[in-house]
Amino acid sequence: MKQHFLMKKRLSFLGFLLVLVGIACAAMTMTQFSIANSFSSIPKAMIWGCSNFYPTADSFTNFPDIMLKLQETLLISIASASVAAIFAFVFALLGSQVTKINNTLAAFSRFIANVFRNIDVSIWALVLLFSFGQSSLTGYFALFVASFGFLTRAFMETIDEVGSGAIEALRATGAHRFSIIFQAVLPMSVSQLISWVLFMIETNIRAATLVGILTGSGIGFIFDLYYKRMDYHSASLVVLAIVVSILVIEQISNYVRRAML
């Protein structure tokens, strides 16, 4: 019986693998994608990168401008995630199975969270671009909307995981809804909520580069500017600044998470 079950699982896995291979082959045929050309271009790309895409002494003259745009990007990323977290927490309380007011509001909150979360931040940037034009405000709103959708869903799941025992005990004593939230829900979930906000800040900093290219703001704009001018040395300095800032923010976030646990 056990051998039959294992054989059935292996056949199912093999069938699934064959389906994936078939889909991949069909996609490559339709798009005229060549694996051989892809692998053969890797050495050329590495040679070009090593000979062109690296900072030079002249590129460091643009370092003050790069740091100014990087500061703008960091502030927009942190502000969008922080403000979105406030709105997301309210919608999460309305949508959570533990703290919901009624089923209608809960369904509406979950619907809003799913819509906002499943639309990529680049799409939001392009949509908002028609309304606000190329500006830092457009980048902020794009990151805010994407952060709101993700955090609302994450906060809902976090609140749902909170033990209902303390909540039911407070309800039995006639405690008000706000008392339940601040005395039971928040104390038991605040560390996880902060962890999600920190994760969203890290994600926003990564996404802000692409958003900046689309909206003409922040570090993404100056990278696009240097790259289109074929100033690859300055563009590589921008990439280096982005990588270092992400690593620093990640280390700070990890330290804060360890301090809370």
Side-chain angles (χ1 to χ4, degrees):
M1 186 69 180
K2 186 177 179 180
Q3 291 180 348
H4 177 72
F5 176 74
L6 291 175
M7 182 62 68
K8 188 177 180 181
K9 286 189 67 176
R10 290 172 183 171
L11 290 174
S12 299
F13 176 75
L14 183 60
F16 178 71
L17 188 62
L18 289 174
V19 170
L20 286 180
V21 171
I23 293 174
C25 292
M28 287 189 292
T29 302
M30 294 173 62
T31 58
Q32 297 181 351
F33 175 77
S34 174
I35 296 180
N37 291 337
S38 300
F39 281 103
S40 64
S41 63
I42 292 177
K44 297 178 181 178
M46 294 180 65
I47 292 172
W48 181 89
C50 294
S51 59
N52 294 279
F53 207 73
Y54 60 90
T56 61
D58 292 336
S59 66
F60 275 92
T61 57
N62 298 317
F63 190 70
D65 295 333
I66 294 173
M67 291 305 297
L68 187 63
K69 288 297 184 180
L70 180 61
Q71 180 183 355
E72 177 186 340
T73 299
L74 292 176
L75 291 176
I76 290 175
S77 301
I78 295 171
S80 59
S82 302
V83 177
I86 298 173
F87 289 91
F89 182 69
V90 175
F91 273 76
L93 290 175
L94 297 175
S96 173
Q97 297 298 326
V98 177
T99 58
K100 65 181 181 180
I101 297 176
N102 55 58
N103 292 328
T104 303
L105 279 177
F108 175 75
S109 298
R110 289 181 177 273
F111 173 76
I112 292 295
N114 288 330
V115 170
F116 282 33
R117 183 174 66 97
N118 290 319
I119 299 178
D120 191 72
V121 64
S122 59
I123 304 299
W124 284 116
L126 291 174
V127 170
L128 294 169
L129 190 62
F130 293 106
S131 301
F132 299 99
Q134 286 190 328
S135 64
S136 299
L137 186 63
T138 306
Y140 170 82
F141 279 132
L143 293 173
F144 169 83
V145 173
S147 301
F148 169 76
F150 178 85
L151 289 177
T152 301
R153 186 67 182 181
F155 285 1
M156 281 184 192
E157 294 176 357
T158 300
I159 295 173
D160 286 340
E161 292 175 359
V162 173
S164 60
I167 296 175
E168 293 299 329
L170 287 173
R171 283 176 179 168
T173 60
H176 193 269
R177 183 176 300 274
F178 288 103
S179 299
I180 295 174
I181 292 172
F182 288 104
Q183 295 182 22
V185 176
L186 268 179
M188 299 179 67
S189 61
V190 64
S191 60
Q192 188 62 35
L193 296 180
I194 294 175
S195 180
W196 280 121
V197 175
L198 293 173
F199 172 79
M200 198 69 243
I201 290 174
E202 296 174 23
T203 304
N204 279 357
I205 293 173
R206 296 184 182 95
T209 304
L210 175 60
V211 172
I213 294 174
L214 296 173
T215 61
S217 61
I219 196 72
F221 169 73
I222 200 169
F223 170 79
D224 190 46
L225 183 66
Y226 291 144
Y227 195 83
K228 287 181 178 178
R229 282 166 41 185
M230 296 185 181
D231 187 359
Y232 300 126
H233 300 300
S234 297
S236 67
L237 186 60
V238 174
V239 173
L240 183 62
I242 294 170
V243 171
V244 171
S245 64
I246 290 174
L247 292 176
V248 170
I249 293 295
E250 186 176 355
Q251 290 300 316
I252 294 174
S253 299
N254 291 336
Y255 174 77
V256 173
R257 291 190 184 98
R258 287 194 300 268
M260 290 187 303
L261 297 177

